[in-house]
Amino acid sequence: MRSRVEQFAAIRRDYRVEGLSIRALADKYRVHRRTVRQALESAVPPPRKTVQRVAPRLEPFKAAIDEMLRSDLDAPKKQRHTARRVLARLVDEHDADGLSYSTVRDHIRKRRPQVAAEAGRALEAGFVPQTYRPGAEAEVDFHDLWVVLAGVKTKTALFTMRLSFSGRSAHRAFATQGQEAFLEGHVYGFDRLGGVPVDKIRYDNLNSAVKQVLFGRSRQENERWIAFRSHYGFEAWYCQPGHDGSHEKGGVEGEGGRFRRNHCVPMPVVDSIDELNAALAAADDADDHRRIANRANSVGQDWDLEKLALQPVTDEPFDTALTVTPRVDRYAQIMVRCNQYSVPARFIGHRLRVKLSASHVTVYDRATVVARHPRAVGKGTKVLDLDHYLEILTRKPGALPGATALAQARAAKMFTTEHDAWWAAARKAYGDAAGTRALVEVLLLHRHLDRVDVLAGISAALSVGSANADVVALEARKAAERRTGADRHQNSSDVAAQALLLAHHHLGAAIVDERPLPSVAPYDTLLGRQSS
């Protein structure tokens, strides 16, 4: 089928070459004579007239719609009328039956900017394209990232640092948006991106950096944040508060959404934050091959140029962890940021030094690390280590079955089915209290032997029907020797025989020795000779 331009060209050619009349041309091309005259007047067809569609059923309600749109001018952005809400109000308040959603939607799309213009309001502010120098600027922000963490749907904080020139970004997930995560995210970002921007980094008014918003762009900054900026040698540039300033760091605002849609849909399923961050790092590497909009170079190619202009990262580390000194309560717990963490029971009543990072809680007694936990997500959470309560459980064995630390150890698969089976055998052999104390002796082995060796010792003891902690200890040490190759040539039959021998040894009872009792008769003979 010919286009109108081709048809006009054919008409003009036949009129010029063949000398056909207007009527003949109209008959030949099966068009109206008016179309022939238009073709002879101009080689370019006139624009087609746009059909003005009318909606007679909507006409009586246009005034009501205008009133709703005018009320939106002073309403919060997220509480303005949608087309569906307008239709619902028309039906409920004005008996507008028979209106279709598409009719109302199309009218509102056309009418909303007109209402804003009539009121002297601009629907959207204009923007000015920006050009950035390589290595000069970056932008930082946090975004919410939902993941399935250890089987539980969990919200994490996605730290994002984006270089303004190349668009290369560094993403890091944390359990919190606290200052520890804010500072750790910067350290990771500088290392990941190969340097520090020479001019400035753009921020909104995060509490981790800003204590108070003053006049204009002046801010009262957190002293620790000031020290961090001074250490790495960069300047902070703060956006206007609220929605009005969000476009001032639009690169990182859009980056958070783009990254989540492309790499975190469906929700990542991970066992730990470290596993999640490894996946995020791989996604950042993959993004080096993408192109932003209509740029000629990829992100990675522009970054190769930009990292040469960044200032190098200082070799001297900055301690990003927060230091606090809580007191240990009678439950062998310390309270840090509304969460409780266990410490060894011997420190009950003492004050300990705690270094709180974005991912871990490390507890010190002077310079010695006495406990280390993953940082809890949320508030009101207890993170307990069963090992910290073993000395208490030796005196109070009845507290073990309902202990929170035991439940957490089972959930983390640190207290295994082998432990449970051996505990059941010990209680059956010695009773609940003595059997639980025997279990505590076995659990104490974990402090000195590798976990795999203790589990091997438990399995060996169970295989010979023993519920004796000494058997477990012996077999665990032999497993360690075999694993390291020190006892590689020991006869396996001798090992089984020794295990069977110890299997007869019970708590409070000695191994039966069938040798005859020693005699003191020779000493009596000597005494007789001495007296003579």
Side-chain angles (χ1 to χ4, degrees), residues 176-313:
T176 174
Q177 291 190 22
Q179 189 180 64
E180 307 81 43
F182 186 60
L183 300 183
E184 282 187 33
H186 278 78
V187 174
Y188 173 80
F190 295 151
D191 291 339
R192 181 77 179 169
L193 299 176
V196 182
V198 297
D199 187 1
K200 58 178 175 285
I201 301 178
R202 296 173 182 261
Y203 303 91
D204 54 19
N205 301 280
L206 296 166
N207 291 333
S208 301
V210 176
K211 294 169 61 175
Q212 185 177 2
V213 178
L214 304 177
F215 180 76
R217 298 193 187 276
S218 300
R219 304 290 185 270
Q220 183 180 356
E221 294 180 306
N222 185 290
E223 290 185 357
R224 197 152 177 262
W225 169 239
I226 296 174
F228 181 85
R229 290 199 298 103
S230 176
H231 181 84
Y232 284 98
F234 66 92
E235 296 297 324
W237 191 92
Y238 298 103
C239 301
Q240 294 291 346
H243 179 70
D244 292 339
S246 60
H247 68 278
E248 295 180 336
K249 57 178 182 64
V252 73
E253 292 281 355
E255 170 62 23
R258 182 207 67 82
F259 187 84
R260 285 179 300 191
R261 288 189 298 271
N262 285 274
H263 300 293
C264 301
V265 177
M267 287 188 297
V269 180
V270 294
D271 292 328
S272 65
I273 293 289
D274 291 338
E275 181 182 346
L276 173 60
N277 282 325
L280 298 182
D284 282 336
D285 289 337
D287 277 345
D288 283 347
H289 301 291
R290 74 183 184 94
R291 280 179 167 78
I292 298 175
N294 57 350
R295 293 186 184 181
N297 294 335
S298 66
V299 169
Q301 289 170 333
D302 281 341
W303 178 62
D304 288 337
L305 170 64
E306 184 169 30
K307 64 184 177 182
L308 300 176
L310 296 169
Q311 58 179 327
V313 181

Side-chain angles (χ1 to χ4, degrees), residues 319-485:
D319 188 3
T320 60
L322 176 68
T323 300
V324 293
T325 54
R327 186 180 296 276
V328 183
D329 64 16
R330 61 179 179 172
Y331 297 99
Q333 297 174 159
I334 54 173
M335 178 73 77
V336 181
R337 289 284 177 89
C338 300
N339 292 310
Q340 292 173 298
Y341 303 87
S342 67
V343 298
R346 67 181 182 274
F347 294 109
I348 291 176
H350 293 213
R351 282 196 179 276
L352 299 176
R353 181 168 58 92
V354 177
K355 300 195 74 173
L356 178 67
S357 72
S359 55
H360 290 91
V361 176
T362 308
V363 186
Y364 293 85
D365 175 34
R366 295 181 174 86
T368 304
V369 176
V370 296
R372 181 176 170 83
H373 298 281
R375 182 163 178 167
V377 178
K379 294 183 178 180
T381 303
K382 292 179 182 288
V383 181
L384 308 181
D385 188 343
L386 181 59
D387 180 76
H388 295 159
Y389 296 92
L390 296 182
E391 285 79 7
I392 298 177
L393 291 170
T394 301
R395 301 190 306 271
K396 299 179 178 180
L400 180 58
T404 305
L406 176 61
Q408 292 189 5
R410 281 197 174 109
K413 298 181 180 179
M414 299 301 294
F415 193 90
T416 63
T417 55
E418 289 86 352
H419 290 97
D420 266 320
W422 195 90
W423 187 18
R427 285 185 293 178
K428 182 178 179 180
Y430 313 127
D432 287 344
T436 301
R437 288 191 178 96
L439 174 67
V440 171
E441 292 183 35
V442 171
L443 295 177
L444 286 168
L445 295 174
H446 286 286
R447 295 183 179 179
H448 312 291
L449 298 172
D450 288 342
R451 173 181 173 79
V452 64
D453 298 327
V454 176
L455 292 178
I458 293 174
S459 298
L462 289 172
S463 68
V464 297
S466 173
N468 186 357
D470 291 341
V471 174
V472 176
L474 176 63
E475 294 302 316
R477 291 188 176 93
K478 288 179 178 178
E481 291 174 356
R482 287 194 298 270
R483 191 168 52 83
T484 56

